[in-house]
Amino acid sequence: MKIYIGADHRGFRLKQDLVDYLHRAAYEVEDEGDSELSPEDDYPQFAGRVCSKILSSNDPDTRGILLCGSGQGMCMAANRFKGIRAALGFNRQSARVSRNDDDSNVLCIPTDILGKNEIYRIVDIWLKTAFAAAPRYIRRNQELDELG
């Protein structure tokens, strides 16, 4: 599984720690964020980079992780892309359900709210939870792609 990761200035410091953590867990990770901290950056550019990479991938299980202060801005930006199902990972249960029921392919992390170890647990659950693929879940995802 390939994971694209992006962060604005509020998620920048944690982004490198998370990249290192995911590499140690044997995931292939590509950093789509800034290489240096820039307090003037804007989250939509990083969400756009990550979502574009996911949508252009031939691997149906490519995922993205986006980090910003509340997680909300990244989630709003990512969900503008047809085929992206971004979820706010504010706790372990939200991460699990977003994969199991909704087949989320982007996880948005609120770095101002959660500590690093809890973020690692949330990411682990999200990456290891399979989509249940119940007919109603598949139907709902198709309906999402038909909106707007």
Side-chain angles (χ1 to χ4, degrees):
M1 169 190 315
K2 182 142 189 187
I3 302 167
Y4 294 97
I5 190 166
D8 69 359
H9 56 279
R10 288 169 66 191
F12 180 82
R13 293 201 190 325
L14 181 66
K15 178 185 61 140
Q16 190 56 52
D17 291 342
L18 187 55
V19 167
D20 294 342
Y21 176 80
L22 293 168
H23 278 145
R24 286 191 306 274
Y27 289 102
E28 181 183 357
V29 182
E30 187 172 316
D31 187 345
E32 292 297 323
D34 271 348
S35 57
E36 59 185 52
L37 179 62
S38 174
E40 299 300 316
D41 66 15
D42 296 315
Y43 63 83
Q45 64 184 319
F46 306 112
R49 288 181 196 169
V50 167
C51 293
S52 293
K53 290 284 190 164
I54 292 168
L55 294 171
S56 66
S57 174
N58 293 326
D59 179 358
D61 199 28
T62 299
R63 310 257 187 101
I65 298 175
L66 296 168
L67 303 108
C68 71
S70 70
Q72 296 285 10
M74 287 289 201
C75 201
M76 289 178 199
N79 278 317
R80 299 282 176 121
F81 291 79
K82 184 176 181 176
I84 294 295
R85 292 172 306 282
L88 182 63
F90 60 90
N91 65 23
R92 297 175 206 182
Q93 180 67 5
S94 68
R96 188 191 69 72
V97 171
S98 79
R99 284 287 311 135
N100 185 80
D101 296 9
D102 303 312
D103 196 21
S104 63
N105 52 7
V106 174
L107 181 66
C108 301
I109 300 289
T111 60
D112 288 356
I113 298 167
L114 300 170
K116 182 167 48 174
N117 289 332
E118 184 61 14
I119 289 171
Y120 290 166
R121 288 183 196 102
I122 289 168
V123 168
D124 284 339
I125 287 169
W126 184 73
L127 290 171
K128 293 175 182 171
T129 300
F131 177 46
R136 69 182 181 277
Y137 299 153
I138 293 168
R139 181 183 70 246
R140 291 170 186 161
N141 282 342
Q142 290 170 339
E143 289 173 7
L144 283 173
D145 283 341
E146 292 170 5
L147 293 174

